Amino acid sequence: MSSTIETTSAVQALKERFYDIDALGAASAMMDWDQQCFMPHGAAEARSHHTSILGRMHHEAIVADETGRLIEEAANAVVPESEEAALVRVAKRSYDLATKVPASLVAEKLRLAAIGHEVWVKARKDNDFKAFAPTLEKMIEICRQEAEHLGYEDHIYDALLDQYEEGAKKTDVEAMFGTVRKPLVDLVKDIKADGRDIDNAFLTGDWPEEKQRAFTENIVTAIGFDFERGRQDTAPHPFCTGWSVTDVRLTTRFQPLLNSAVFGSLHEAGHGMYEQGSPLAWDRTPIAGGVSLGIHESQSRFWENIVGRSREFWVCFYPELQKTFPALSGVPLDDFHRAVNKVEPSLIRVEADEVTYNLHILIRFEIECALLEGSLGVHDLPEAWNAKYADYLGVTPPSDALGCMQDVHWSAGLVGYFPTYSMGNLLSYQFLAKMTDEIGDQRALWAKGEFGLTLRWLQENVYSQGKRYTPPDLVQRVTGKPMGADDYLAGITAKYRAIYGM
Amino acid sequence: MSSTIETTSAVQALKERFYDIDALGAASAMMDWDQQCFMPHGAAEARSHHTSILGRMHHEAIVADETGRLIEEAANAVVPESEEAALVRVAKRSYDLATKVPASLVAEKLRLAAIGHEVWVKARKDNDFKAFAPTLEKMIEICRQEAEHLGYEDHIYDALLDQYEEGAKKTDVEAMFGTVRKPLVDLVKDIKADGRDIDNAFLTGDWPEEKQRAFTENIVTAIGFDFERGRQDTAPHPFCTGWSVTDVRLTTRFQPLLNSAVFGSLHEAGHGMYEQGSPLAWDRTPIAGGVSLGIHESQSRFWENIVGRSREFWVCFYPELQKTFPALSGVPLDDFHRAVNKVEPSLIRVEADEVTYNLHILIRFEIECALLEGSLGVHDLPEAWNAKYADYLGVTPPSDALGCMQDVHWSAGLVGYFPTYSMGNLLSYQFLAKMTDEIGDQRALWAKGEFGLTLRWLQENVYSQGKRYTPPDLVQRVTGKPMGADDYLAGITAKYRAIYGM
């Protein structure tokens, strides 16, 4: 009896501590959301002060000795394998990640990231890689130091990757790309050589914003995003954020290319439903919400690509889309379905289709490993980048702006982040395969607008687990095997061979 | 030289402390704004946790010994009468107000206010004053204790009033109402007896929201609210908030009565322009922004009533309003101008016109003084309320719901707050009189849509002073005399005699 009380009170004290940390995080997250959706232009400087102060307070609250003490006391009190043990484990991971790196290095990285962003924006605009190179070199060096502080067993890259995808290693990523590279490159070549021509010009048009807004809200509601516990606004670069399982915010954008809002909304709603599916009882605690970037991306990709780009989805929604946008009234369903799945090797990652996307990531992964190891010098980056684009995608960037300077990540110090996008792509198909094993092919239901069983399976197996298990544990528990490429390759090959009539 | 450095560093350290406090306040303010404008329904509980934690952190940061120490050090370092001395004075006032009342009493008041709000909502709905009375009795007792801790020289009411209007005393408020009561009551009687009939039925209609939004944004921009440093959204109960001189948020609402959005937006923009006019260099420091509720209300009332309800304002904007809402095309300008100035003794304060408004406040002031002193028992409140409404306004509430339970203030523990509304009304005319003395009658310019000189005078004399001077000092400096009723009575009598053709 007394041991239960001790357990309860030690864990409760830790929870209370993290409720405070969570409130500071929530405040920062809301300020960031507001900045991207609503903030008047003139407020940028004041906002930067507010977020930097709140960020500092958040960091101070995590690294405080008191937090370490509460974690230790709770760790001694919990039953192994219990929900509470998971809470302590995740709290300890936050504490460790925040305390292992000296505050001076954290501050130096933040400073360099702020400056680096400006430098990158200008260098990209001027297509002047030389102007960006010194900053990137410094950032790579800081990331190296950061990795040494964080520690690793096998490879320096592991320390950085683990921040974004707990438990993942460079060898896992290599194995992943080792399996998918050739089949993907071959599939792209086959499509080019033998696939039918697909026209997608009709997707670009003058689509009224209010109609795009209403249509995306409809489909996002239909798949199961709960507007009682969330909303959708507009932002220049769509994202999903939130500060409670009961308050999840999506954003989308309205462009001449209809894909942007439609699939962007489905993508963000995938992230959003994952967050909304976390148990209410865990709200504001360390184990609430999505467990990693890779698992998160598996859900955004699942709803965007597997559901949203399926023929069945449009059997259900295409009539409504045509009614909303009469310019599509002459376009048959199959033409529309093929158009939104058109494969086309291109220069820009964020515009890439489902098949070529992972090749863009592979290039970035190989390059950031080489930069970290020192086997590639920053000044040779453009050449290495262009060679890989020619090799894997058959395209050559006409400029570094459209080549190795296209992404924001490295200037922000996000090294080791890119592979999580590909993990998400693989895992979306791995979850689909297991779901199909267990409850059968759901596509006929999608064609009737019924997404409940699909969502329920994901909810029960993935969303309701929050951060209780590490990402590799979760994948093993749900699919009975570690992350692999088989389901992805089988799924994507079948899908695109059918679409291209091969 | 060394003394300058000491001054600078002590004040700088105090500023840094208050930047932290400000960031926590900004976070709470944004969460409150979001809750009223955008928050999904399901998020209410999580939000209450977040705001209560951030509120606690804000309070802890103010009352911390470190804050007291920094104030003391800065106080010893500054030159009397300087801007820095003002900063220290205002910081000390925050610290004193927050530390004088024991934390346990603050917590008790917050708890009672939360419960009291629910009790009040239900009792008002059920028209059951007896159900509300015990809670109100407790709240009055807590306010008495609070006042004792805050301290006062002459009357217990002074301690409460000072929280909202620094330096104001019960005797000032009595003098104010002593001067205005009879003239206002007489003016209302004269209007009823001798004034022309005014029809305002045409103001109620089916006004499309988007058109109301666009029109209010136009007029608010025209008078000088800067949308580069602010925005306007919708909320059920309009308010103005903000967290930087560069980020001021207005809200409005769209109703069948056109007045609601038009004059509500002008009112909130008055508050907003005052906040936007605070010096950029003082942003996020204790002396930034409006100095008191009374001075703030003088600005909202100035732009709403003196400018917005002037005939000249509508000479400028009525053609646009008629184009926006064709239902008004048959209504002559003079009829419209009279309609938006119609005087009608009524039961409800928030719907009251400019002439009767102060009588509503007078009643509340007399009653809350009597409740505090104990000369009126809570159980006799309805009777006292109804007698005063009959006496001052010639109307008798048919129920307590439409009588003494109509306002949220007392259930929330806001005792001593009401007089600031009337101070604002008086001061708006007092500032107008001085402005007219100095730069001449501005109304001909308003008729041409030129509000720049008016705004500039207020900006230079009031807005740019932030909280540098106490409210009584500011009034004296700007108008050359203490707050009084002469300008108000002269202005309002002339205006309404003209409108009513008397």
Side-chain angles (χ1 to χ4, degrees):
Chain A
M1 185 74 180
S2 85
S3 125
T4 309
I5 288 168
E6 276 167 31
T7 304
T8 307
S9 71
V11 173
Q12 190 55 36
L14 181 63
K15 273 191 191 173
E16 299 286 344
R17 180 78 190 172
F18 271 84
Y19 286 147
D20 282 9
I21 292 168
D22 162 79
L24 291 164
S28 292
M30 189 182 292
M31 287 203 173
D32 189 52
W33 167 83
D34 177 79
Q35 179 158 9
Q36 298 191 55
C37 295
F38 293 113
M39 189 185 83
H41 295 304
E45 198 192 329
R47 182 61 51 89
S48 76
H49 291 301
H50 282 143
T51 50
S52 108
I53 290 171
L54 290 167
R56 194 202 75 225
M57 289 179 177
H58 184 254
H59 187 256
E60 284 170 356
I62 293 176
V63 302
D65 292 344
E66 175 72 0
T67 304
R69 193 183 62 73
L70 289 168
I71 289 171
E72 207 172 305
E73 285 176 10
N76 292 329
V78 295
V79 178
E81 308 296 316
S82 67
E83 201 178 293
E84 295 186 326
L87 188 147
V88 174
R89 182 182 61 73
V90 176
K92 186 166 179 344
R93 177 172 150 83
S94 299
Y95 178 76
D96 288 344
L97 284 175
T99 50
K100 278 183 178 171
V101 183
S104 59
L105 188 63
V106 172
E108 200 184 333
K109 186 174 180 180
L110 283 175
R111 240 189 338 266
L112 187 64
I115 299 164
H117 184 78
E118 299 305 311
V119 172
W120 167 73
V121 166
K122 189 169 183 326
R124 190 171 72 153
K125 188 166 154 273
D126 301 344
N127 189 35
D128 182 2
F129 181 77
K130 281 203 172 66
F132 178 50
T135 307
L136 180 57
E137 222 157 59
K138 272 184 223 151
M139 188 56 92
I140 297 289
E141 177 51 32
I142 284 182
C143 288
R144 268 194 211 111
Q145 292 175 28
E146 191 182 16
E148 295 299 338
H149 286 291
L150 290 168
Y152 52 87
E153 283 173 20
D154 302 327
H155 193 278
I156 188 169
Y157 191 83
D158 297 347
L160 300 176
L161 176 59
D162 176 82
Q163 294 178 289
Y164 311 110
E165 193 67 28
E166 184 183 3
K169 299 194 159 205
K170 177 166 177 273
T171 50
D172 301 327
V173 179
E174 284 169 340
M176 170 175 83
F177 284 123
T179 314
V180 304
R181 186 179 51 216
K182 187 165 184 308
L184 286 181
V185 170
D186 290 347
L187 181 58
V188 172
K189 282 185 185 149
D190 288 355
I191 285 171
K192 212 168 172 183
D194 306 326
R196 60 160 64 88
D197 281 340
I198 289 179
D199 171 28
N200 64 359
F202 57 81
L203 292 174
T204 301
D206 184 17
W207 318 109
E209 279 199 17
E210 274 315 307
K211 291 189 171 185
Q212 291 194 62
R213 186 192 313 276
F215 182 79
T216 56
E217 284 187 11
N218 281 352
I219 56 176
V220 155
T221 304
I223 62 173
F225 182 78
D226 181 0
F227 277 92
E228 275 294 303
R229 298 185 292 132
R231 31 183 303 127
Q232 177 179 271
D233 297 286
T234 56
H237 300 284
F239 62 100
C240 169
T241 185
W243 29 85
S244 162
V245 54
T246 62
D247 201 349
V248 176
R249 310 282 173 109
L250 313 179
T251 62
T252 192
R253 63 176 164 186
F254 307 117
Q255 307 257 304
L257 180 65
L258 193 54
N259 291 26
S260 186
V262 170
F263 296 103
S265 287
L266 291 169
H267 181 99
E268 301 309 334
H271 286 304
M273 292 191 292
Y274 186 6
E275 289 294 318
Q276 288 187 332
S278 178
L280 185 56
W282 297 354
D283 199 27
R284 304 184 296 118
T285 74
I287 51 171
V291 68
S292 73
L293 294 182
I295 309 281
H296 239 302
E297 195 72 4
S298 78
Q299 295 315 301
S300 56
R301 289 302 199 172
F302 187 97
W303 291 101
E304 175 196 355
N305 287 332
I306 294 177
V307 176
R309 284 190 163 89
S310 69
R311 192 177 180 284
E312 292 76 11
F313 186 85
W314 292 106
V315 166
C316 175
F317 289 110
Y318 195 53
E320 187 187 326
L321 189 75
Q322 288 180 308
K323 217 189 311 176
T324 309
F325 303 115
L328 294 173
S329 58
V331 178
L333 169 65
D334 281 319
D335 288 3
F336 178 81
H337 173 237
R338 284 176 195 136
V340 299
N341 282 288
K342 181 169 183 165
V343 175
E344 200 158 34
S346 69
L347 297 168
I348 305 298
R349 174 184 62 85
V350 296
E351 293 165 7
D353 58 83
E354 197 183 1
V355 177
T356 59
Y357 193 92
N358 282 342
L359 297 173
H360 290 265
I361 299 301
L362 167 60
I363 292 169
R364 286 152 177 80
F365 165 68
E366 290 180 348
I367 286 178
E368 65 186 10
C369 285
L371 288 171
L372 264 187
E373 288 167 353
S375 59
L376 175 68
V378 164
H379 284 85
D380 298 324
L381 165 56
E383 202 180 326
W385 180 283
N386 294 351
K388 283 181 195 290
Y389 262 80
D391 189 10
Y392 299 155
L393 285 158
V395 295
T396 303
S399 70
D400 293 334
L402 296 171
C404 65
M405 284 197 293
Q406 69 184 258
D407 294 305
V408 70
H409 299 63
W410 291 335
S411 70
L414 297 172
V415 175
Y417 184 113
F418 280 119
T420 65
Y421 291 121
S422 290
M423 292 178 183
N425 289 333
L426 267 62
L427 287 170
S428 65
Y429 279 93
Q430 188 163 334
F431 287 132
L432 173 71
K434 185 65 180 181
M435 177 194 292
T436 306
D437 277 357
E438 291 191 354
I439 59 170
D441 191 326
Q442 296 298 301
R443 287 177 293 184
L445 289 173
W446 300 348
K448 292 191 277 178
E450 293 173 19
F451 304 95
L453 268 181
T454 301
L455 177 57
R456 194 166 117 192
W457 189 91
L458 291 167
Q459 165 65 25
E460 285 175 3
N461 286 280
V462 183
Y463 306 172
S464 66
Q465 306 303 327
K467 296 187 179 70
R468 171 150 190 186
Y469 305 105
T470 64
D473 281 355
L474 180 68
V475 171
Q476 180 74 44
R477 289 179 69 96
V478 174
T479 68
K481 59 188 182 185
M483 183 187 75
D486 296 353
D487 299 322
Y488 166 75
L489 284 175
I492 212 164
T493 307
K495 175 176 173 180
Y496 285 91
R497 289 205 165 267
I499 283 170
Y500 275 91
M502 305 188 304
Chain B
M1 184 70 180
S2 84
S3 127
T4 309
I5 288 168
E6 273 166 33
T7 304
T8 306
S9 72
V11 172
Q12 190 56 35
L14 180 64
K15 273 192 191 172
E16 299 285 346
R17 180 78 189 172
F18 271 85
Y19 286 147
D20 282 9
I21 292 168
D22 162 78
L24 291 165
S28 292
M30 188 181 293
M31 285 204 174
D32 189 50
W33 166 83
D34 176 79
Q35 179 158 9
Q36 297 190 56
C37 295
F38 292 116
M39 188 185 82
H41 295 303
E45 199 192 326
R47 182 61 51 88
S48 76
H49 291 302
H50 283 142
T51 49
S52 110
I53 290 171
L54 290 166
R56 194 201 74 224
M57 289 178 178
H58 184 255
H59 186 257
E60 284 170 356
I62 294 176
V63 302
D65 292 344
E66 175 73 0
T67 305
R69 192 183 63 73
L70 290 167
I71 288 170
E72 208 171 305
E73 286 177 10
N76 292 331
V78 295
V79 178
E81 309 295 316
S82 67
E83 197 179 296
E84 293 185 329
L87 188 146
V88 174
R89 183 183 59 74
V90 177
K92 185 164 180 344
R93 176 171 151 85
S94 300
Y95 178 76
D96 288 345
L97 283 176
T99 50
K100 277 183 180 170
V101 183
S104 59
L105 188 64
V106 173
E108 203 184 332
K109 187 174 180 182
L110 282 175
R111 238 189 340 264
L112 187 65
I115 299 164
H117 185 77
E118 299 304 312
V119 172
W120 167 74
V121 167
K122 188 170 182 326
R124 189 171 73 153
K125 189 165 153 272
D126 300 345
N127 189 37
D128 183 2
F129 180 76
K130 281 203 172 66
F132 178 50
T135 308
L136 180 57
E137 221 155 62
K138 273 184 221 154
M139 187 56 92
I140 297 289
E141 177 51 33
I142 284 182
C143 288
R144 271 196 208 108
Q145 293 176 29
E146 192 182 15
E148 294 300 338
H149 286 290
L150 290 168
Y152 52 88
E153 283 172 22
D154 302 328
H155 193 278
I156 186 168
Y157 191 83
D158 296 348
L160 299 176
L161 176 59
D162 176 82
Q163 293 178 290
Y164 310 111
E165 193 66 27
E166 185 181 4
K169 298 194 162 207
K170 178 167 177 272
T171 49
D172 302 327
V173 179
E174 284 168 341
M176 168 175 84
F177 284 122
T179 314
V180 303
R181 187 182 47 216
K182 188 165 183 307
L184 286 181
V185 170
D186 290 349
L187 181 58
V188 173
K189 281 184 187 149
D190 288 355
I191 284 171
K192 212 172 173 179
D194 306 327
R196 61 160 65 88
D197 281 340
I198 289 180
D199 172 29
N200 64 0
F202 57 80
L203 293 174
T204 302
D206 184 17
W207 318 110
E209 279 199 18
E210 273 316 307
K211 291 188 170 184
Q212 291 194 62
R213 186 192 314 276
F215 182 79
T216 55
E217 284 187 11
N218 281 352
I219 55 175
V220 155
T221 303
I223 62 173
F225 181 78
D226 180 0
F227 278 92
E228 276 293 303
R229 297 185 293 131
R231 34 182 301 127
Q232 176 178 269
D233 297 285
T234 56
H237 301 283
F239 61 100
C240 169
T241 185
W243 29 87
S244 162
V245 53
T246 62
D247 201 349
V248 177
R249 309 283 172 110
L250 313 179
T251 61
T252 191
R253 63 176 164 186
F254 307 115
Q255 307 256 301
L257 180 66
L258 193 54
N259 289 28
S260 185
V262 170
F263 296 102
S265 287
L266 291 169
H267 181 99
E268 301 308 335
H271 286 303
M273 292 191 294
Y274 186 7
E275 290 294 320
Q276 287 187 333
S278 178
L280 186 56
W282 297 355
D283 199 27
R284 304 184 295 119
T285 74
I287 52 172
V291 68
S292 72
L293 294 183
I295 309 281
H296 239 301
E297 195 72 5
S298 78
Q299 295 314 303
S300 56
R301 289 300 197 172
F302 187 96
W303 290 101
E304 175 196 355
N305 286 333
I306 294 177
V307 176
R309 283 191 164 89
S310 69
R311 192 177 180 285
E312 291 77 10
F313 186 85
W314 293 107
V315 166
C316 175
F317 289 110
Y318 195 55
E320 187 187 328
L321 189 75
Q322 288 180 308
K323 215 190 312 173
T324 310
F325 303 115
L328 294 173
S329 57
V331 179
L333 169 64
D334 282 319
D335 288 3
F336 177 82
H337 172 237
R338 286 177 194 137
V340 300
N341 284 288
K342 180 169 183 164
V343 175
E344 200 158 34
S346 70
L347 298 168
I348 306 297
R349 174 184 61 87
V350 295
E351 294 164 6
D353 58 82
E354 198 183 359
V355 177
T356 59
Y357 193 92
N358 282 343
L359 297 172
H360 291 265
I361 300 301
L362 167 60
I363 292 169
R364 285 153 179 77
F365 166 67
E366 290 181 349
I367 285 178
E368 64 185 12
C369 285
L371 288 171
L372 264 188
E373 287 167 353
S375 60
L376 175 68
V378 165
H379 284 84
D380 298 324
L381 165 56
E383 204 181 324
W385 181 282
N386 295 351
K388 283 179 194 292
Y389 263 79
D391 189 9
Y392 298 155
L393 284 158
V395 294
T396 304
S399 70
D400 294 334
L402 296 171
C404 66
M405 285 198 292
Q406 70 183 258
D407 294 306
V408 70
H409 299 61
W410 291 335
S411 70
L414 297 172
V415 175
Y417 183 113
F418 280 120
T420 64
Y421 292 120
S422 289
M423 294 178 179
N425 289 332
L426 267 63
L427 287 169
S428 65
Y429 279 92
Q430 188 163 335
F431 287 132
L432 173 71
K434 185 67 180 178
M435 176 193 293
T436 306
D437 277 358
E438 291 192 353
I439 59 171
D441 191 327
Q442 295 299 301
R443 286 178 293 185
L445 289 174
W446 301 347
K448 293 192 274 178
E450 293 174 19
F451 304 95
L453 269 182
T454 302
L455 177 58
R456 195 167 116 192
W457 189 91
L458 291 168
Q459 165 66 25
E460 284 176 5
N461 287 280
V462 183
Y463 306 172
S464 66
Q465 306 303 328
K467 297 187 179 71
R468 168 145 193 191
Y469 305 104
T470 64
D473 282 356
L474 180 68
V475 171
Q476 180 73 45
R477 290 179 69 97
V478 176
T479 68
K481 58 185 182 187
M483 182 186 75
D486 297 353
D487 299 320
Y488 166 75
L489 283 176
I492 212 163
T493 307
K495 174 175 174 182
Y496 286 91
R497 289 203 166 269
I499 284 171
Y500 274 91
M502 302 189 304

